[in-house]
Amino acid sequence: MMPMKKHLAIVGATGAVGQEILRILEQYQLPVDQITLLSSKRSAGTELTVRGERLTVQEATPDSFQGVDVALFSAGGTVSKLLVPEAVQRGAVAVDNTNAYRMDPHVPLVVPEVNGEAIKEHQGIIANPNCSTTQMVMALHPLRQAYGMRRIIVSTYQAVSGAGHSAMVELENETKGILEGEKVTPTILPSAALPVHYPIAFNVIPQIDRFEPNDYTLEEMKMVRETKKIFQDATLEVAATCVRVPVFRGHSESVYVELEQEVSKEDVISSLQAMAGVIVVDNPEKQQYPMPIDGVGKPEVYVGRIRRDLDHPNGWHLWIVSDNLWKGAAWNTVQIADQILKS
Ligand code: L14
């Protein structure tokens, strides 16, 4: 039988995540024969080289998805709400990187190493979790599987690239401006869609995305809801504080987790080491622990600072780091696309 030619579309090809998807396609053999790059009207016409081929980015419209097998969406929730249904209607499987469909009960929310089998249940849409959720469940999954898990309390230290290319430009310009004694006028962070903005250079902002009525931010509630969905455990106790730090790439997380059993540190470490996609970097004697600068452009999730709680024998403190644009977004999306294309 002739193998079917496969056609991949990338929506948001010129954005922070889209650019990393293209970088990953240079290094990783995804079984596709044709690639279409799509964007907003604003970026249409941009020329990009993909796998040695010069491609022109086209404006994404409903008809862009004619003949497309898999469409990767990383152009924000509004674009996904508008165009994901159009892609699905034309027979494509959509892998969506935004918050638009994650909590839809008909949409699997997938981290392949954790719940890859959920891909099979898709009805045209598969959602990629929030970057902070993805790296956390990667590290916690093996511990939960082996020892059971009752409670998670997490504080994040999130890089500006999560808020897109414009937030990276804002951090760069503010840093230069402040060092040169200029007055800076932030317009992007904590969120371009909100009325009040704060500088991120030489600062830390305890708000990512808008506030929900319960005084948690949407980013924090995404972590809560998505973690329960991925683990299929509504009784798991989860609370999050999400914080923006002046780092370009790589999210860090301080996580407190309560297991259902008392286990040794060796057991915790060997469970983490056995997990595909997780690397343990934990050597206090040599001052070794994960940091964002070591994880940039890498697909793995790094875990260190592993220590038992001082008061609760089943409680553990972990430090989890990963490139938010890779495992947190582009790499997880490509992994899902790969499974769909090969099925
Ligand atoms: O929900 O600003 O996929 O860092 C992840 C990154 C929301 C914004 C998501 C950020 C986005 C977040």
Side-chain angles (χ1 to χ4, degrees):
M1 207 173 88
M2 280 274 288
M4 294 274 279
K5 293 239 188 245
K6 296 286 189 181
H7 185 174
L8 179 79
I10 302 170
V11 186
T14 59
V17 176
Q19 289 289 294
E20 295 308 315
I21 292 176
L22 299 183
R23 199 157 294 157
I24 289 168
L25 294 185
E26 301 291 333
Q27 303 171 23
Y28 184 85
Q29 289 307 318
L30 199 64
V32 290
D33 308 278
Q34 189 182 348
I35 297 176
T36 296
L37 304 182
L38 301 169
S39 73
S40 64
K41 203 181 190 120
R42 187 164 43 88
S43 303
T46 308
E47 289 208 354
L48 296 170
T49 304
V50 185
R51 305 197 302 189
E53 200 185 336
R54 204 82 186 133
L55 298 175
T56 305
V57 181
Q58 297 161 36
E59 183 187 353
T61 68
D63 283 328
S64 308
F65 301 98
Q66 208 64 52
V68 166
D69 296 290
V70 176
L72 312 181
F73 281 82
S74 312
T78 311
V79 172
S80 288
K81 281 191 190 121
L82 206 69
L83 290 179
V84 163
E86 302 287 347
V88 173
Q89 210 190 322
R90 285 166 179 77
V93 177
V95 185
D96 187 33
N97 238 312
T98 77
N99 195 38
Y101 300 97
R102 288 177 185 146
M103 295 313 297
D104 183 325
H106 302 294
V107 174
L109 181 63
V110 176
V111 176
E113 296 89 340
V114 176
N115 65 338
E117 70 291 340
I119 293 176
K120 296 196 294 284
E121 284 144 38
H122 81 79
Q123 299 173 25
I125 310 175
I126 295 158
N128 212 42
N130 179 283
C131 34
S132 301
T133 309
T134 300
Q135 70 182 62
M136 185 173 80
V137 298
M138 281 286 289
L140 298 190
H141 176 64
L143 303 180
R144 181 172 174 273
Q145 265 200 322
Y147 315 117
M149 194 167 284
R150 223 161 253 168
R151 173 165 225 198
I152 302 166
I153 299 173
V154 52
S155 294
T156 69
Y157 303 67
Q158 296 186 220
V160 295
S161 50
H165 186 72
S166 58
M168 299 174 78
V169 173
E170 180 154 276
L171 172 57
E172 186 178 338
N173 289 342
E174 283 176 358
T175 307
K176 286 184 185 152
I178 290 169
L179 287 174
E180 280 161 20
E182 288 164 17
K183 191 175 172 299
V184 299
T185 313
T187 59
I188 305 293
L189 293 168
S191 166
L194 293 171
V196 179
H197 300 106
Y198 300 111
I200 185 61
F202 307 102
N203 197 17
V204 161
I205 305 175
Q207 179 187 359
I208 296 178
D209 221 319
R210 59 180 161 78
F211 277 93
E212 297 255 290
N214 66 0
D215 291 347
Y216 285 78
T217 62
L218 179 57
E219 182 80 352
E220 289 161 356
M221 292 312 295
K222 283 184 230 171
M223 289 192 79
V224 171
R225 298 181 186 120
E226 294 174 18
T227 300
K228 293 179 197 226
K229 177 168 175 173
I230 294 164
F231 285 154
Q232 294 183 285
D233 184 355
T235 66
L236 183 62
E237 297 170 356
V238 190
T241 302
C242 290
V243 179
R244 186 80 65 193
V245 295
V247 166
F248 284 98
R249 267 173 79 165
H251 286 0
S252 306
E253 299 177 338
S254 169
V255 179
Y256 172 70
V257 59
E258 265 168 40
L259 305 176
E260 280 173 352
Q261 300 169 36
E262 188 173 336
V263 293
S264 68
K265 179 168 176 179
E266 291 68 38
D267 287 340
V268 169
I269 288 180
S270 58
S271 299
L272 288 166
Q273 281 171 336
M275 174 72 184
V278 168
I279 295 178
V280 175
V281 181
D282 184 48
N283 194 342
E285 276 165 35
K286 291 191 175 156
Q287 288 179 259
Q288 288 169 342
Y289 33 73
M291 290 183 283
I293 48 169
D294 301 319
V296 173
K298 303 214 177 104
E300 292 91 6
V301 172
Y302 298 83
V303 187
R305 298 298 322 278
I306 302 164
R307 61 219 190 272
R308 191 190 304 274
D309 187 65
L310 296 173
D311 300 298
H312 196 310
N314 296 4
W316 290 87
H317 296 271
L318 313 172
W319 178 251
I320 304 172
V321 174
S322 191
D323 184 341
N324 54 304
L325 297 181
W326 274 55
K327 186 58 184 169
W331 172 239
N332 201 66
T333 304
V334 170
Q335 286 180 299
I336 295 170
D338 191 38
Q339 281 207 32
I340 299 163
L341 288 159
K342 286 175 178 160
S343 68

